[in-house]
Amino acid sequence: MEYKVEAHRIMSISLGKIYNSRVQRGGIKLHKNLLVSLVLRSARQVYLSDYYSGACLNAAQSEREWDITDTEREKFPPSTTECDRVESSEEPQKNERPEKEREYRENDDEVKSDQADCTSTLQQEQNQNSSQDSVAKVSSETLQETINEPKESPSDSALAELDSTPEANGESHQPPKTHVCSNRKRSAEESESGDSPQKKTKVASSNAKEGEEAEEMDTSNVSNLITIFGSSFSGLLSKDGAKPESEAEDSGQICCDQMLKNLNPWSTAIVAF
Amino acid sequence: MCGGLRAGGGGNDVQWCFSQVKGAIDDDVAEADIISTVEFNHSGELLATGDKGGRVVIFQQETENKSQPQCRSEYNVYSTFQSHEPEFDYLKSLEIEEKINKIRWLPQKNAAQFLLSTNDKTIKLWKISERDKRPEGYNLKEEDGRYRDAATITTLRVPVFRPMDLMVEASPRRVFANGHTYHINSISVNSDNETYLSADDLRINLWHLEITDRSFNVVDIKPANMEELTEVITAAEFHPHQCNTFVYSSSKGTIRLCDMRASALCDKHSKLFEEPEDPSNRSFFSEIISSISDVKFSHNGRYMMTRDYLSVKIWDLNMENRPVETYQVHEYLRSKLCSLYENDCIFDKFECCWNGNDSVVMTGSYNNFFRMLDRSQRRDVTLEASRESCKPRQVLKPRRVCAGGKRKKDEISVDSLDFNKKILHTAWHPQENIIAVATTNNLYIFQEKVN
């Protein structure tokens, strides 16, 4: 268990460093960010592997959730929806509201790319939640609970938020960048098998104990981090006043979305280079 | 117990004494004053430092008074100039720091001195020349430069040079710009005295000293898809004698030796130096601490030294699979890696240097400690650059760090180390036992004790 706590802490610290690198003088330092991302991945792997062993909580309820997600996955094969999702990453400064939400999706894709396993999981979730309204609503509800999940929570929670937004956003996509798209497809396919169980269990457990999860699973740390990042970053970009200290789920979600923008810089930096 | 053999022979142990300290005394360090590079020139007469504010300060060794052998030669300020200014890249909306990353001297060819200084993006060739005479007696101009009325000139005279106070001028002779997309971490002058290389995170360029508008790209490790990036170039250096050979180190702890005769683009290395990782030391931070922060060839060109976070390794150029010597710099930090990651110290890039005859190597540590590693005698010593040991000719006392357990007298415990006081840059005089050690904003000069 202590490994899990340690890994979680290191992940939070790493995310903080990636965020701070964006505002540092002299531009983003490729070497340091590369090292931080390696640490982030190592910590994530340890964290998830640890979670794995202690994850079999609600077997019965899990099954039901798994069926839903399985169905979704079948309906929306990764390749197609991924490509639709991919957006240009070079425009993080869109401030208009409708575009912002689409951009959160875009940023979501960007976030995925720089966290190896995280990538595919998110994409699968997003794929499943993308086009069809009804299915999206179901999965969004389940996924909304995952906001409070500590694992991969920035990305996941943002995802949940995306899904709860009007579906119209899901339809209006800009043409993807082909090479980025293909890369995501590859990574999604590669880790699909490995990550789907994780996602299932996550959905399951979150659905099982919504409110309790929020408190028990030590989400506050990461959520706090997210809100702090989100608010300060939003101050830079859109002047939206998401309060940093707010624990309310709504603002937490908004901040999580904005956190995605913060997670974006690394991949933005990479792609920009 | 002590480090530093006299270059050229002798097996006597030497002791190090304080000689001078340069820089402000107060503890409040202005960021611009933080020293970012230190380099002796080829004769050792000149010592250059670069700082975060983009300035270069050159110290000159006083000519030794032969009649008084006890009198030590001191380094005094010779020239100060602003090498780089902060810039703004409008396309990327990025500020380019003026911090001087590296200074490298060119071998002296005439009366003037030349050095290359670089920040993240631009390399400049500076000419440092002395002026101690000035022409006087012009016919058409007054001494202050005003033109004389031609009608008032009735006689002609020949202008003559008259002595004046020594003036040292630094002028930028070449500006090598726009060669790098990423941050420049190294420059190295070739032994052919005509070319030099500059390395950034992903590419190495070869320049001719006379030509500023183009350079050859000799190494490019940028992946087609940046998301597949796994390693970056951390340092590069030309071989001291073979003008076709250079090495570059990576963030994965490997060193590649390249031969420019093999092909125009040296993406394929001639030799790959890599030591297998010790699996028992695996941690979250294994990758970070294996990243090489500096690589330096020995003066004789047979060895190279690499510095990673915790150790110094000496490699024989003929053996690729492991280093011939490994020295632990501050092994007691291995258990503190997580804290060092949090406070960013784990990303500190320590440099290392050889003494004149390649028998001793030196590198910095925290708490203003620096380490001297004697290769021939297999001994090492930890010394401290501190204001407390600043009396003239005061001998430096070896320091010891207590890793755990009972702390002996005169030892300092790991938890008491000041991680803000780091010695990243050190330099060793090419011929004598004189070393320059840069703390945050001070430059200490230590010399061998003369009896």
Side-chain angles (χ1 to χ4, degrees):
Chain A
M1 264 319 264
E2 43 183 77
Y3 288 112
K4 181 177 162 184
V5 170
E6 179 72 1
H8 181 220
R9 195 169 76 90
I10 290 172
M11 277 166 59
S12 308
I13 294 167
S14 304
L15 289 171
K17 288 190 194 299
I18 293 175
Y19 170 69
N20 285 330
S21 75
R22 186 152 197 193
V23 300
Q24 257 170 12
R25 211 176 151 238
I28 295 163
K29 294 182 178 20
L30 191 66
H31 184 200
K32 183 176 176 185
N33 277 281
L34 177 68
L35 295 176
V36 170
S37 70
L38 292 174
V39 170
L40 183 61
R41 280 177 208 181
S42 303
R44 192 186 166 282
Q45 279 163 10
V46 167
Y47 191 62
L48 291 173
S49 67
D50 198 61
Y51 178 68
Y52 236 137
S53 50
C56 307
L57 302 168
N58 268 319
Q61 228 159 357
S62 313
E63 273 175 26
R64 189 163 55 83
E65 260 48 69
W66 291 356
D67 289 340
I68 293 174
T69 54
D70 265 352
T71 321
E72 292 164 356
R73 194 170 293 116
E74 283 162 34
K75 283 182 185 169
F76 312 110
S79 51
T80 51
T81 42
E82 264 174 72
C83 287
D84 291 339
R85 292 281 154 199
V86 169
E87 290 272 1
S88 158
S89 61
E90 265 89 66
E91 307 161 33
Q93 274 87 22
K94 292 184 194 169
N95 291 333
E96 294 162 45
R97 185 98 195 133
E99 280 189 321
K100 220 200 294 188
E101 275 150 353
R102 177 179 52 213
E103 194 177 307
Y104 295 152
R105 251 187 248 274
E106 299 160 16
N107 293 342
D108 208 25
D109 293 328
E110 295 304 327
V111 168
K112 294 177 221 170
S113 64
D114 68 12
Q115 297 169 27
D117 301 335
C118 213
T119 303
S120 49
T121 313
L122 284 171
Q123 281 175 323
Q124 288 157 18
E125 290 173 332
Q126 200 173 39
N127 296 336
Q128 291 131 33
N129 304 324
S130 56
S131 314
Q132 302 272 327
D133 289 8
S134 54
V135 181
K137 278 215 171 73
V138 169
S139 44
S140 72
E141 276 157 25
T142 57
L143 282 170
Q144 227 164 359
E145 267 62 78
T146 67
I147 291 172
N148 295 324
E149 286 288 340
K151 270 166 285 303
E152 307 165 30
S153 32
S155 325
D156 292 341
S157 39
L159 190 57
E161 170 63 6
L162 290 175
D163 300 317
S164 62
T165 58
E167 306 309 331
N169 288 330
E171 310 307 323
S172 52
H173 296 295
Q174 290 168 12
K177 277 193 179 169
T178 49
H179 72 278
V180 177
C181 167
S182 57
N183 186 55
R184 298 228 171 83
K185 182 161 81 173
R186 203 163 47 239
S187 54
E189 284 164 2
E190 283 163 18
S191 26
E192 190 177 352
S193 49
D195 287 344
S196 39
Q198 293 169 354
K199 184 200 162 298
K200 288 175 188 171
T201 22
K202 220 180 314 196
V203 173
S205 53
S206 65
N207 207 26
K209 326 167 183 174
E210 313 169 35
E212 295 159 28
E213 287 287 355
E215 288 131 39
E216 281 172 20
M217 298 202 58
D218 193 34
T219 60
S220 47
N221 281 349
V222 182
S223 299
N224 274 339
L225 198 72
I226 291 166
T227 54
I228 290 166
F229 290 164
S231 60
S232 53
F233 200 82
S234 70
L236 284 173
L237 279 193
S238 63
K239 317 266 190 229
D240 275 354
K243 294 198 190 337
E245 305 305 323
S246 170
E247 287 292 325
E249 228 174 288
D250 284 349
S251 52
Q253 288 167 18
I254 294 169
C255 291
C256 293
D257 300 334
Q258 289 160 351
M259 174 57 186
L260 285 186
K261 285 192 187 181
N262 302 334
L263 291 178
N264 195 21
W266 173 225
S267 41
T268 305
I270 295 176
V271 179
F273 277 142
Chain B
M1 189 38 204
C2 309
L5 295 177
R6 187 182 297 277
N12 300 322
D13 287 330
V14 297
Q15 289 184 301
W16 290 94
C17 312
F18 170 81
S19 174
Q20 295 170 276
V21 61
K22 308 283 186 191
I25 299 174
D26 56 84
D27 287 330
D28 209 13
V29 180
E31 180 143 344
D33 293 336
I34 295 174
I35 297 171
S36 51
T37 185
V38 181
E39 186 83 356
F40 278 100
N41 76 336
H42 293 271
S43 65
E45 184 205 355
L46 298 176
L47 175 61
T49 61
D51 64 23
K52 257 191 144 185
R55 290 165 304 204
V56 171
V57 180
I58 301 175
F59 302 91
Q60 183 188 41
Q61 195 179 25
E62 272 174 20
T63 351
E64 253 181 85
N65 201 331
K66 297 282 191 267
S67 62
Q68 284 182 300
Q70 310 289 36
C71 183
R72 297 140 153 274
S73 43
E74 287 200 336
Y75 282 84
N76 298 315
V77 177
Y78 179 64
S79 172
T80 305
F81 56 93
Q82 186 76 32
S83 170
H84 287 73
E85 299 274 4
E87 287 173 53
F88 196 77
D89 180 341
Y90 295 98
L91 282 179
K92 292 184 191 167
S93 292
L94 288 178
E95 201 181 352
I96 299 168
E97 276 191 286
E98 66 276 29
K99 172 170 76 91
I100 307 295
N101 292 336
K102 284 287 179 337
I103 288 173
R104 290 290 182 261
W105 290 92
L106 268 57
Q108 192 173 10
K109 277 196 277 196
N110 50 40
Q113 302 277 358
F114 288 86
L115 61 78
L116 287 170
S117 67
T118 184
N119 69 348
D120 283 339
K121 296 287 185 184
T122 305
I123 306 130
K124 294 187 183 180
L125 176 69
W126 288 88
K127 176 180 178 183
I128 296 106
S129 48
E130 291 181 6
R131 190 192 293 272
D132 60 358
K133 294 186 276 289
R134 67 158 182 255
E136 285 179 19
Y138 281 110
N139 291 292
L140 298 176
K141 278 197 286 192
E142 302 285 0
E143 293 308 322
D144 58 10
R146 279 179 304 139
Y147 279 96
R148 290 167 71 182
D149 183 4
T152 64
I153 299 170
T154 53
T155 60
L156 288 178
R157 56 186 174 169
V158 177
V160 292
F161 276 106
R162 298 222 183 275
M164 59 178 260
D165 288 338
L166 178 67
M167 199 167 71
V168 181
E169 299 169 325
S171 58
R173 306 301 287 181
R174 307 270 187 278
V175 177
F176 304 91
N178 304 317
H180 289 277
T181 308
Y182 304 95
H183 295 324
I184 297 174
N185 52 53
S186 312
I187 47 175
S188 178
V189 184
N190 202 348
S191 51
D192 66 6
N193 274 341
E194 287 184 353
T195 57
Y196 74 94
L197 64 76
S198 59
D200 66 28
D201 291 318
L202 297 178
R203 299 192 176 102
I204 300 179
N205 292 338
L206 181 71
W207 303 81
H208 192 284
L209 286 165
E210 300 289 329
I211 300 168
T212 59
D213 61 355
R214 83 203 102 103
S215 69
F216 287 105
N217 175 244
V218 289
V219 172
D220 188 340
I221 65 167
K222 182 180 176 184
N225 187 350
M226 278 297 276
E227 287 160 17
E228 291 164 358
L229 180 72
T230 54
E231 74 181 319
V232 297
I233 297 168
T234 52
E237 193 178 57
F238 264 119
H239 190 278
H241 313 310
Q242 296 166 17
C243 57
N244 53 283
T245 305
F246 66 91
V247 293
Y248 68 92
S249 60
S250 83
S251 56
K252 276 190 173 172
T254 63
I255 308 101
R256 287 173 174 79
L257 185 142
C258 299
D259 187 334
M260 294 195 291
R261 297 171 300 187
S263 70
L265 190 60
C266 296
D267 278 356
K268 271 189 69 176
H269 52 264
S270 301
K271 294 193 185 188
L272 173 67
F273 298 84
E274 187 175 15
E275 184 177 27
E277 191 192 347
D278 180 2
S280 63
N281 277 334
R282 192 104 183 83
S283 76
F284 285 126
F285 311 105
S286 301
E287 279 143 333
I288 300 188
I289 63 169
S290 65
S291 176
I292 292 173
S293 51
D294 194 17
V295 64
K296 289 265 172 46
F297 276 105
S298 60
H299 290 95
N300 59 20
R302 290 173 49 201
Y303 300 95
M304 65 178 176
M305 161 167 58
T306 57
R307 174 73 155 98
D308 52 63
Y309 191 65
L310 296 179
S311 67
V312 162
K313 295 179 182 173
I314 312 279
W315 302 78
D316 186 322
L317 292 186
N318 297 315
M319 188 161 74
E320 297 169 57
N321 58 350
R322 61 177 175 80
V324 289
E325 294 155 38
T326 302
Y327 301 93
Q328 300 304 326
V329 179
H330 35 218
E331 183 68 12
Y332 46 78
L333 295 183
R334 195 180 285 275
S335 55
K336 310 273 178 200
L337 293 180
C338 194
S339 317
L340 294 166
Y341 178 70
E342 278 183 76
N343 62 16
D344 269 0
C345 285
I346 208 174
F347 301 105
D348 288 333
K349 297 193 180 154
F350 291 94
E351 292 174 7
C352 51
C353 60
W354 298 84
N355 74 338
N357 65 0
D358 300 330
S359 59
V360 185
V361 298
M362 169 169 65
T363 189
S365 179
Y366 293 103
N367 209 69
N368 280 349
F369 287 171
F370 59 100
R371 301 265 287 142
M372 294 239 178
L373 311 160
D374 191 328
R375 299 177 62 212
S376 45
Q377 299 195 19
R378 288 297 186 159
R379 283 201 292 227
D380 59 272
V381 68
T382 305
L383 301 172
E384 183 180 359
S386 89
R387 289 274 176 184
E388 271 86 49
S389 334
C390 278
K391 298 190 199 51
R393 292 187 285 281
Q394 178 178 0
V395 175
L396 294 182
K397 212 175 59 158
R399 304 303 310 260
R400 298 189 69 84
V401 177
C402 164
K406 211 157 183 301
R407 185 176 76 87
K408 299 194 193 83
K409 182 168 109 73
D410 279 355
E411 278 187 355
I412 181 168
S413 77
V414 182
D415 300 311
S416 315
L417 295 175
D418 187 342
F419 289 96
N420 291 319
K421 293 186 179 169
K422 49 192 90 169
I423 291 178
L424 304 174
H425 313 285
T426 58
W428 204 311
H429 191 288
Q431 275 117 38
E432 297 168 34
N433 278 335
I434 302 173
I435 54 175
V437 171
T439 59
T440 308
N441 66 330
N442 288 136
L443 183 72
Y444 286 78
I445 299 173
F446 300 107
Q447 294 189 15
E448 181 184 10
K449 181 167 187 248
V450 176
N451 293 317

